[in-house]
Amino acid sequence: MSNSDAAPDLVLHRGLITTLDRARPTATAVAIKQGVFSAVGEDREVLPLAGPTTRMVDLQGRRVLPGLIDNHLHIIRGGLHFNMELRWDGVRSLADAMNMLKRQIAVTPAPQWVRVVGGFSEHQFAEKRLPTLEEINAISPETPIFLLHLYDRALLNGAALRACGYTKDTPEPLGGQIARNRDGEPTGLLLAKPNAAILYATLAKGPKLPFEYQLNSTRHFMRELNRLGVTGAIDAGGGSQNYPEDYAVIQKLHDDGQLTIRLAYNLFTQKPKGEKQDFLNWTKNSKYKQGDDYFRHNGAGEMLVFTAADFEDFRQPRPDMPAQMEGELEAVVRILAENRWPWRMHATYDETISRALDVFEGVDREIPLEGLNWFFDHAETISERSIDRIAALGGGIAVQHRMAYQGEYFVERYGPAAAEATPPVKRILESGVKISAGTDATRVASYNPWVSLALLVAGRTVGGMHLYPQRNCLDRETALRMWTENVTWFSNEEGRKGRIEVGRLADLIVPDRDYLICREEEIADTVSLLTVVGGRIVYASGDFARFDDNPLAPAMPDWSPVRTFGGYGAWGSKAAATDSAQSPRAACGCANHCNLHGHRHASAWLCKLPIADLKSFWGALGCSCWAV
């Protein structure tokens, strides 16, 4: 037995540990001392190291993985609002989603809104549709409702239109569309044509939480991420996220030792035509890498200049970037290169990537980019030629799981053949270009990392469409590396984390199922039973619940949707997490588009009509075929 000073703080033993260390790929036990792995090996090697004060956790034979790191998460912005948002992420039927909406409206006081802010796709619902404007107006004439679907559209009820001041006299916004009726009155449908500015601007009109509530909200968001096995993230900035004002909450949590997600943050330019001045100011007043292992500066982006932002609304034609893009982008990239700041750049389409590479190559001829860990985000339609050009410049590509939510729209516009490698992950891996995975949560895709891992492994959207052929899918270990050690290049932390290896930061998870051998269709439903960050158990449930070191006050305010529904899949509400066999659609056994005489399930579920038998011929509210 070692003396207490040398003994580890924590030992986890009797596990099936996947280390991702090629020199020692498996183990059964780990020891952690002062936040790093101090020993990795077999029980017989590690257990004798324990001292009288060492905390012991019996893993009961469960699989252990390195903590997951999201390469693109809007966690700072998302945390400020998380407690106000009703999450439809992972909800399997529109009927259940609308029931959640109805329940939330009942407890939300004026003048607050009920907001569903992204993270879902209509294709995940059994009904394969969004609610109608008539349905959301019927459910709440007085409480404002804002529903954001991807960066495609938003649905507002009449109360939300009034709260936003949208009337017949409201001018058409630049880059967006307010749908109107024959009399010119707004209907409540907002469309991103061709960009999401109208969606950003409308959401920003809603009430905000006070500072103390934002602290609580951000902690709850981090705990939700910990529940899903996330231990680190790179924050990609975001629209309406101002530096340094909107970073005060995350800074205080860091200063108070309350961060449970390791966070590297990028600075996102804040207004069109002011990009150059933003980065001139920031490179004078901020230092790249400033901070520590929990909160550190990671350079610029994802927005460098507004003229280079090609939003990924696949329901709309590909946008062409304006002629001034190159000049404005060069001015910013030159500042960053001179100050040795890496950058990330949002780019959906190869046409945008190719033009940006022209700029990067031009700057490189005068100021070598070698050693700067710069990269493109998203890159769904990147070409082989562009991949090779990135390789020559030493850049990287950070991919996200947006196609899990938008694959059906992409196929509808460009065809299934074009969708088979969007993005071409295997080709990028073969090229040697640095590549990693993430989510782009919270407004577009969900923050659930297992949806991304399922897409990489199985190639299916959340709606069940087989998007990628097997030849373009990854084996499970490669996909896991995309979410762990590969991400560390993108935050310039190679060798510090991403593996379970002596000397690395002690971040690990114990999933509720064995990711390496469970059925493919089970991957996306994975959660963590035990999440460790820096040797601290920040989340624990089930047999490990007694080990949880992260006490957290209930979500604030007291009407927060988080109190009732939790997060992904509405895990916090047994009533909302209805088994599919008990959903209205399954109960009545009818079809989505009248085969024969299917009714509107969401409307039927919410109606107050005294109908006991949903299997009757006409169904509740009658057949939807008559209303089409």
Side-chain angles (χ1 to χ4, degrees):
M1 188 74 68
S2 59
N3 65 62
S4 58
D5 290 337
D9 304 314
L10 177 67
V11 166
L12 300 97
H13 62 100
R14 224 163 57 88
L16 296 172
I17 301 174
T18 297
T19 68
L20 296 183
D21 176 6
R22 289 180 172 86
R24 187 162 197 169
T26 61
T28 64
V30 298
I32 298 170
K33 179 72 174 177
Q34 296 181 344
V36 301
F37 292 114
S38 57
V40 179
E42 301 305 305
D43 284 18
R44 65 180 181 276
E45 300 171 298
V46 176
L47 286 175
L49 303 175
T53 61
T54 300
R55 195 177 193 189
M56 307 293 292
V57 177
D58 183 346
L59 295 167
Q60 304 171 30
R62 290 190 174 273
R63 177 71 62 186
V64 179
L65 305 174
L68 303 179
I69 309 168
D70 193 327
N71 74 11
H72 187 125
L73 180 64
H74 297 278
I75 183 173
I76 296 175
R77 180 182 67 189
L80 301 180
H81 306 286
F82 183 71
N83 281 1
M84 292 194 295
E85 295 175 356
L86 179 66
R87 304 303 306 182
W88 281 358
D89 309 39
V91 177
R92 303 298 174 86
S93 80
L94 179 59
D96 287 342
M98 291 294 280
N99 183 41
M100 293 168 64
L101 187 64
K102 184 177 183 181
R103 292 172 61 191
Q104 185 57 40
I105 288 165
V107 299
T108 302
Q112 297 295 334
W113 298 12
V114 176
R115 308 171 220 215
V116 180
V117 186
F120 75 99
S121 167
E122 65 177 325
H123 298 290
Q124 78 192 39
F125 297 142
E127 298 87 345
K128 302 296 182 185
R129 69 174 182 89
L130 293 174
T132 65
L133 291 169
E134 291 76 14
E135 285 169 338
I136 66 170
N137 275 293
I139 201 174
S140 180
E142 302 299 332
T143 302
I145 297 175
F146 177 95
L147 303 179
L148 177 67
H149 182 248
L150 310 172
Y151 270 154
D152 158 41
R153 62 192 57 212
L155 303 179
L156 282 67
N157 67 346
L161 288 173
R162 294 191 294 273
C164 292
Y166 290 155
T167 69
K168 183 177 182 178
D169 298 323
T170 302
E172 202 71 358
L174 183 66
Q177 179 181 336
I178 300 174
R180 303 173 189 270
N181 63 20
R182 291 179 180 178
D183 298 324
E185 297 288 351
T187 64
L189 174 63
L190 307 180
L191 296 172
K193 284 188 173 184
N195 63 57
I198 180 63
L199 309 182
Y200 276 130
T202 303
L203 185 57
K205 293 176 182 288
K208 294 177 174 57
L209 292 173
F211 187 81
E212 289 298 319
Y213 285 29
Q214 289 178 337
L215 290 170
N216 175 273
S217 178
T218 300
R219 289 196 68 195
H220 274 276
F221 187 27
M222 290 191 296
R223 185 167 176 84
E224 168 70 351
L225 292 166
N226 295 151
R227 184 183 74 89
L228 293 167
V230 178
T231 61
I234 307 177
D235 186 272
S240 304
Q241 182 175 320
N242 298 313
Y243 181 82
E245 296 87 349
D246 289 329
Y247 291 67
V249 166
I250 204 77
Q251 184 68 58
K252 178 169 177 52
L253 291 173
H254 168 264
D255 294 346
D256 292 346
Q258 292 184 332
L259 291 185
T260 63
I261 300 286
R262 298 189 190 276
L263 188 60
Y265 63 93
N266 286 72
L267 295 183
F268 184 112
T269 190
Q270 297 178 351
K271 57 184 180 297
K273 305 304 179 186
E275 301 98 332
K276 180 178 178 180
Q277 193 58 49
D278 275 341
F279 289 112
L280 282 171
N281 294 339
W282 289 339
T283 51
K284 289 178 183 176
N285 300 321
S286 297
K287 185 178 179 182
Y288 171 54
K289 288 188 178 182
Q290 69 185 29
D292 58 25
D293 289 327
Y294 276 91
F295 187 53
R296 64 198 304 272
H297 183 278
N298 197 51
E302 67 178 296
M303 183 78 81
L304 298 179
V305 295
F306 281 82
T307 49
D310 58 353
F311 284 94
E312 74 295 345
D313 183 1
F314 298 131
R315 281 185 160 178
Q316 299 296 326
R318 177 184 61 81
D320 286 315
M321 299 299 95
Q324 67 266 33
M325 167 189 151
E326 282 82 353
E328 294 181 2
L329 184 59
E330 181 182 355
V332 166
V333 169
R334 187 174 294 275
I335 293 167
L336 299 175
E338 288 171 346
N339 287 276
R340 308 311 292 167
W341 272 34
W343 65 86
R344 64 190 308 161
M345 178 179 159
H346 167 107
T348 302
Y349 300 96
D350 187 63
E351 289 80 359
T352 307
I353 293 169
S354 179
R355 289 175 61 182
L357 284 169
D358 291 341
V359 172
F360 298 171
E361 289 166 347
V363 172
D364 178 65
R365 285 190 286 270
E366 299 179 39
I367 311 170
L369 303 184
E370 184 179 359
L372 283 184
N373 291 23
W374 65 269
F375 57 95
F376 286 106
D377 275 303
H378 316 313
E380 277 86 356
T381 72
I382 190 169
S383 66
E384 292 200 11
R385 171 62 179 146
S386 291
I387 294 170
D388 292 340
R389 293 172 73 187
I390 293 170
L393 284 174
I397 301 171
V399 301
Q400 291 78 42
H401 67 174
R402 303 190 311 186
M403 290 295 286
Y405 295 85
Q406 303 190 69
E408 286 85 355
Y409 301 130
F410 189 95
V411 168
E412 183 179 344
R413 178 167 294 278
Y414 299 109
E420 288 186 350
T422 49
V425 172
K426 271 202 167 179
R427 171 67 177 85
I428 297 168
L429 283 166
E430 291 165 358
S431 74
V433 169
K434 299 293 186 179
I435 181 172
S436 63
T439 64
D440 196 12
T442 59
R443 293 182 178 178
V444 178
S446 174
Y447 50 75
N448 187 342
W450 302 100
V451 176
S452 169
L453 285 160
L455 179 68
L456 292 169
V457 169
R460 292 185 183 275
T461 69
V462 295
M465 186 179 74
H466 202 170
L467 192 67
Y468 306 148
Q470 188 59 43
R471 67 179 181 277
N472 289 339
C473 294
L474 304 183
D475 66 83
R476 298 190 194 202
E477 182 179 314
T478 301
L480 180 61
R481 290 182 188 276
M482 292 270 289
W483 264 90
T484 51
E485 66 172 0
N486 286 20
V487 186
T488 62
W489 181 89
F490 293 78
S491 57
N492 222 325
E493 295 174 285
E494 289 179 292
R496 290 290 293 150
K497 57 185 182 180
R499 298 182 194 167
I500 298 174
E501 184 179 332
V502 172
R504 298 206 180 205
L505 296 172
D507 305 339
L508 61 79
I509 61 174
V510 182
D512 67 341
R513 65 205 69 193
D514 192 333
Y515 160 75
L516 293 178
I517 62 174
C518 71
R519 294 184 302 161
E520 286 184 350
E521 55 267 31
E522 294 179 358
I523 293 174
D525 295 324
T526 302
V527 297
S528 180
L529 296 175
L530 186 77
T531 301
V532 175
V533 179
R536 177 188 173 197
I537 299 173
V538 298
Y539 178 83
S541 64
D543 292 340
F544 303 107
R546 68 187 183 279
F547 296 112
D548 199 330
D549 289 336
N550 186 27
L552 191 57
M556 301 163 59
D558 57 9
W559 51 265
S560 169
V562 175
R563 288 202 179 195
T564 303
F565 302 106
Y568 186 90
W571 62 267
S573 171
K574 292 181 180 179
T578 307
D579 184 86
S580 60
Q582 297 177 337
S583 72
R585 176 181 170 86
C588 70
C590 75
N592 189 38
H593 292 298
C594 188
N595 183 29
L596 171 75
H597 298 309
H599 62 255
R600 291 178 179 266
H601 299 89
S603 300
W605 184 243
L606 296 170
C607 79
K608 298 180 180 179
L609 298 177
I611 295 171
D613 183 11
L614 292 177
K615 291 186 179 181
S616 62
F617 178 75
W618 294 110
L621 301 188
C623 172
S624 63
C625 68
W626 305 114
V628 174

